[in-house]
Amino acid sequence: GGIDHDRWPVTRDGTSLYWAGLNKGTRSLAVDVRSDEGRDLVRRLVTAPGENRGLHVTNLTPRWLDYESLREKRPDLIMVALSGNPDGSAAVDYTVNAAAGYPDVTGGDGPVNHVLPAWDLLAGSMVATAVLAAERRRRSTGRGELVRVSLADVAFASVGHLGHVAEVDVNDVDHERYGNYLYGAFGRDFESSDGNRVMVVALSPRQWSALVGATGSGPELAEVAARGGWDFSSDGDRFRAREEIAAVLAPWFASRRLDDIAQALDDSGVLWGPYRTFRGLMENDQRVDPDVNPVWRMLDQPGIGRYRAPGSPLRFTDAENLPPRPSPELGADTAAILQEILGLDAVEIERLREKDVW
């Protein structure tokens, strides 16, 4: 089975909520690929005829499943191969992230690993994009494609896209750690009188004006700007004066409860959001309420129970928006897939089962 089949978080009896969450809406085929017959089944499935088939996504590229031999059976095969490093060697999100520089500019003292597997998620989206782009090309030209992508390339390209590589090459500056301050503009967390925290961001002149108006801090901030020679219409100067600005704003937040802060900021159009735990998100945010947001539905997952789960965040106006479907048990669809795609009859499927091929 997959190495993530028991990955935490798990239920009290050890069933993986992680696995169930990531495999919603799929079908599961279980095949012993150590056997010649098992390998042959996989090759036949990958290269099966049909306009909407011949699309193979993999993070495993054994010699018996290489692109060149597969395309001999289906010349228009599309294969997207995900690896850890560009040379094909092993890496995972957490090792790539350590090398990407972000832990060293996150948090307070010393490198801090963020717990979001950002490069896994972004690489998954890029794999999907690669499939769609290659399939579109196949429709117009009839040609297949092998697309290679690595976690490291995804992560390090992102570092480059966001200017951090150029910052070193051009400015000879290594990005510093700024805690919860937003780099290059004004943004920071503040604590309320009832112990909650909010993140406030001002990226545009309108957002800055809204924040100043909501907090009634215009005169004090004008004095701060005059003393420092800063122009607070500039993102750069707001960032340079971030500590002085925060010192003016912090007492306003500290003297008010979260509900009062929310009302004042919303009334003025301030860009802000509360800090919440996962439980706090589920209990207090309508954006994850199935009765309000159609992306979320109640899901009955065999072996786990009933809980709210997301479908695709993409909302189509002229196509069906499919609700989330349960994750299958390992191998639950093997017989159906072998019959549907390969045309095997019940006798042959049973023979393979008896031989432990599946």
Side-chain angles (χ1 to χ4, degrees):
I3 61 173
D4 292 326
H5 189 247
D6 298 318
R7 180 72 62 86
W8 284 28
V10 297
T11 62
R12 291 180 178 84
D13 65 359
T15 303
S16 175
L17 297 169
Y18 177 92
W19 179 268
L22 289 181
N23 287 276
K24 294 189 300 296
T26 65
R27 294 201 292 175
S28 177
L29 174 87
V31 174
D32 181 3
V33 295
R34 293 168 295 186
S35 69
D36 290 338
E37 281 189 285
R39 292 180 178 184
D40 181 60
L41 285 175
V42 173
R43 283 191 291 260
R44 289 168 63 189
L45 287 167
V46 169
T47 59
E51 182 182 6
N52 296 319
R53 294 175 181 159
L55 304 170
H56 179 46
V57 175
T58 181
N59 65 341
L60 300 172
T61 52
R63 292 182 180 178
W64 59 270
L65 207 58
D66 67 288
Y67 178 70
E68 292 303 324
S69 63
L70 291 171
R71 71 185 303 204
E72 291 178 5
K73 300 179 180 295
R74 177 156 185 167
D76 67 345
L77 175 70
I78 292 170
M79 177 171 168
V80 181
L82 176 67
S83 63
N85 289 309
D87 63 3
S89 60
V92 294
D93 188 292
Y94 306 100
T95 60
V96 168
N97 187 60
Y102 285 112
D104 203 57
V105 298
T106 299
D109 297 327
V112 175
N113 290 332
H114 59 67
V115 298
L116 174 72
W119 312 124
D120 281 346
L121 296 172
L122 185 55
S125 293
M126 296 195 73
V127 165
T129 301
V131 170
L132 293 171
E135 197 272 341
R136 181 175 182 179
R137 179 172 179 263
R138 186 172 77 178
R139 285 178 179 267
S140 62
T141 67
R143 295 166 58 185
E145 183 67 79
L146 169 63
V147 184
R148 299 186 185 277
V149 61
S150 74
L151 280 175
D153 280 344
V154 170
F156 301 159
S158 299
V159 175
H161 293 326
L162 295 173
H164 302 307
V165 171
E167 194 174 19
V168 175
D169 279 349
V170 176
N171 295 344
D172 194 26
V173 171
D174 205 356
H175 199 79
E176 297 180 27
R177 181 182 288 112
Y178 296 107
N180 282 349
Y181 283 105
L182 173 68
Y183 176 69
F186 183 76
R188 211 200 80 166
D189 62 310
F190 293 97
E191 186 171 3
S192 66
S193 63
D194 52 358
N196 292 288
R197 300 195 78 85
V198 299
M199 182 68 188
V200 177
V201 175
L203 291 170
S204 69
R206 186 195 62 79
Q207 292 166 0
W208 172 250
S209 177
L211 176 60
V212 173
T215 57
S217 55
E220 290 179 85
L221 289 173
E223 291 181 12
V224 171
R227 285 198 305 269
W230 288 308
D231 176 7
F232 286 164
S233 67
S234 161
D235 278 347
D237 274 4
R238 291 198 294 270
F239 177 69
R240 295 183 185 96
R242 60 191 178 277
E243 293 182 352
E244 289 83 353
I245 293 173
V248 171
L249 297 179
W252 185 89
F253 289 90
S255 64
R256 289 164 173 81
R257 296 174 57 83
L258 177 60
D259 289 346
D260 298 324
I261 291 172
Q263 186 69 54
L265 298 185
D266 286 342
D267 287 348
S268 297
V270 176
L271 187 60
W272 76 283
Y275 283 81
R276 290 188 175 126
T277 63
F278 295 129
R279 178 183 294 276
L281 169 67
M282 305 313 293
E283 292 179 349
N284 298 290
D285 201 315
Q286 289 190 327
R287 290 171 290 186
V288 294
D289 185 343
D291 293 329
V292 177
N293 187 347
V295 168
W296 289 82
R297 306 287 179 88
M298 296 305 297
L299 181 72
D300 290 307
Q301 176 64 50
I304 291 178
R306 184 173 174 81
Y307 62 94
R308 74 187 98 175
S312 171
L314 300 177
R315 303 189 191 188
F316 294 93
T317 56
D318 293 323
E320 185 179 4
N321 293 277
L322 296 176
R325 291 178 291 148
S327 172
E329 293 291 326
L330 284 179
D333 307 293
T334 303
I337 291 171
L338 296 179
Q339 181 180 34
E340 174 189 331
I341 298 180
L342 299 186
L344 302 187
D345 60 29
V347 174
E348 179 65 8
I349 291 173
E350 180 61 19
R351 185 190 70 81
L352 292 171
R353 189 192 64 78
E354 290 176 350
K355 294 183 64 176
D356 288 331
V357 175
W358 69 275

